[in-house]
Amino acid sequence: QKEVEQNSGPLSVPEGAIASLNCTYSDRGSQSFFWYRQYSGKSPELIMSIYSNGDKEDGRFTAQLNKASQYVSLLIRDSQPSDSATYLCAVNIANFGNEKLTFGTGTRLTIIP
Amino acid sequence: GAGVSQSPSNKVTEKGKDVELRCDPISGHTALYWYRQSLGQGLEFLIYFQGNSAPDKSGLPSDRFSAERTGGSVSTLTIQRTQQEDSAVYLCASSGSNQPQHFGDGTRLSIL
């Protein structure tokens, strides 16, 4: 079993709709969770971090964490073509991102105009 | 600059040669990380430096790989006797205390 699992996609979503990206992790001791966006040929860019159960909203992005189910998700509302990218889920055993990150292989998202 | 700076941005070398990759973290960040991303793959942890503590080298794939961080700032990742499977994008990240990691633009390494 992979430590961090994501559906590789591609996930196609019409412009203006909600894109839902999912991630599960195996280490129950995980403390901090991150979503990075990676455009083709570019480096990962942090878009959301979440540390406690529940929802965290930032603009069009909402991260959801359920530690009991070992599940973290990212919702993108009002999807735009510029949201087309690979989204990487990353998990850390330490608080706030210190210590190494364990990444999923990413979900490729395409927003269809 | 304000972000993590890596050099060179691209490196092409022959199999068997040694290469050095450089990372200059965000000013004031005490933690520095090296990751590797092979084509179509996720990011693979290599090594982590935190302040003056001994580095976490648990991700280095072989003894051909080494890294150092001088003066608690700039880091160099060295790959000796390069092999074709070393071809990848090498990414450096840094973080401040209780802060998420931010990545540089990476070095794209191609071994011929």
Side-chain angles (χ1 to χ4, degrees):
Chain A
Q1 181 188 8
K2 292 181 181 177
E3 293 182 66
V4 180
E5 294 208 45
Q6 297 181 252
N7 188 325
S8 62
L11 175 65
S12 296
V13 173
E15 182 176 357
I18 296 174
S20 177
L21 305 165
N22 303 316
C23 173
T24 58
Y25 59 94
S26 61
D27 188 342
R28 285 195 170 274
S30 301
Q31 297 289 335
S32 50
F33 308 86
F34 306 89
W35 284 98
Y36 285 83
R37 178 176 62 198
Q38 187 173 29
Y39 293 115
S40 181
K42 301 295 185 181
S43 63
E45 173 193 9
L46 178 70
I47 54 171
M48 287 291 285
S49 57
I50 187 166
Y51 308 107
S52 55
N53 281 328
D55 295 0
K56 178 182 177 183
E57 186 175 319
D58 184 0
R60 296 186 297 110
F61 298 98
T62 299
Q64 300 174 316
L65 174 62
N66 184 325
K67 289 187 177 181
S69 299
Q70 295 173 244
Y71 174 95
V72 57
S73 65
L74 179 70
L75 301 177
I76 306 175
R77 289 182 299 283
D78 188 24
S79 298
Q80 303 297 310
S82 59
D83 295 327
S84 296
T86 295
Y87 289 80
L88 302 171
C89 173
V91 172
N92 197 306
I93 61 170
N95 290 322
F96 302 110
N98 298 127
E99 301 286 336
K100 64 180 182 181
L101 290 173
T102 301
F103 283 85
T105 53
T107 298
R108 187 156 57 94
L109 174 66
T110 301
I111 306 301
I112 304 169
Chain B
V4 178
S5 178
Q6 291 188 247
S7 62
S9 55
N10 285 284
K11 177 72 175 179
V12 180
T13 193
E14 293 179 348
K15 176 182 172 182
K17 300 287 188 182
D18 297 353
V19 295
E20 284 190 353
L21 312 179
R22 176 189 168 103
C23 173
D24 198 343
I26 293 171
S27 179
H29 279 190
T30 56
L32 186 149
Y33 314 78
W34 285 97
Y35 295 86
R36 176 170 73 174
Q37 188 172 33
S38 302
L39 188 63
Q41 301 297 312
L43 275 78
E44 173 191 8
F45 166 76
L46 297 176
I47 188 169
Y48 156 54
F49 297 89
Q50 173 62 61
N52 295 322
S53 302
D56 176 355
K57 303 180 181 179
S58 61
L60 295 179
S62 77
D63 58 7
R64 296 186 296 104
F65 288 72
S66 63
E68 62 178 20
R69 188 178 185 193
T70 54
S73 181
V74 173
S75 176
T76 302
L77 177 69
T78 301
I79 309 173
Q80 296 179 310
R81 305 182 302 282
T82 53
Q83 303 294 313
Q84 287 188 330
E85 61 263 28
D86 299 335
S87 297
V89 177
Y90 288 81
L91 289 158
C92 177
S94 70
S95 66
S97 178
N98 294 337
Q99 295 293 322
Q101 297 176 30
H102 293 272
F103 285 84
D105 288 337
T107 293
R108 186 174 300 276
L109 177 64
S110 299
I111 310 300
L112 302 178

